[in-house]
Amino acid sequence: MSDLPNCPACGSEYTYQDQDMFVCPECAHEWQEGENSTAADEDVIRDSNGNVLEDGDTVTVIKDLKVKGSSAVVKVGTKVKNIRLVGGDHDIDCKIDGIGAMKLKSEFVKKA
């Protein structure tokens, strides 16, 4: 039998090699031999500069953000303290002075 690795995405043993790539026919995942794809790497939330964010960090807003349903705007340079990371599209849950509770996208903040 061949000694092809199992699929790192779904764990399937039915993988095959296509030139220098491995392919999983069950989930269509493709990867190279030396590539380690783990779920832990995908769950890391990074700011606009690529720094890893953690719960309790202080971040700075890098773009004017309109608040939906209000005429308020979160200005550039606003510091947000004690963030909480959550899953989803807006992955930062925080409280901003003068505005209240908000969810932010990590692409619009940088670690302070």
Side-chain angles (χ1 to χ4, degrees):
M1 291 297 289
S2 64
D3 54 352
L4 295 175
N6 291 348
C7 176
C10 70
S12 172
E13 62 184 25
Y14 303 110
T15 58
Y16 63 92
Q17 190 168 5
D18 184 22
Q19 295 178 4
D20 63 339
M21 301 286 287
F22 291 105
V23 181
C24 175
E26 292 183 7
C27 69
H29 180 69
E30 296 181 0
W31 73 99
Q32 290 184 346
E33 187 171 357
E35 191 177 298
N36 288 335
S37 172
T38 61
D41 292 340
E42 296 171 2
D43 291 342
V44 173
I45 296 176
R46 298 182 182 273
D47 69 356
S48 61
N49 294 333
N51 298 322
V52 177
L53 295 175
E54 297 176 357
D55 285 343
D57 280 346
T58 300
V59 295
T60 305
V61 178
I62 62 166
K63 178 182 175 184
D64 283 348
L65 301 173
K66 296 179 183 176
V67 179
K68 280 200 172 192
S70 172
S71 62
V73 176
V74 179
K75 296 283 188 180
V76 172
T78 302
K79 285 199 173 201
V80 181
K81 299 177 184 175
N82 198 17
I83 64 170
R84 194 175 91 221
L85 301 178
V86 294
D89 190 30
H90 292 74
D91 42 16
I92 297 175
D93 199 9
C94 62
K95 199 176 282 187
I96 299 176
D97 294 337
I99 294 177
M102 260 187 97
K103 290 191 174 194
L104 300 173
K105 291 185 177 184
S106 59
E107 62 195 67
F108 298 124
V109 299
K110 68 178 181 179
K111 198 169 187 176

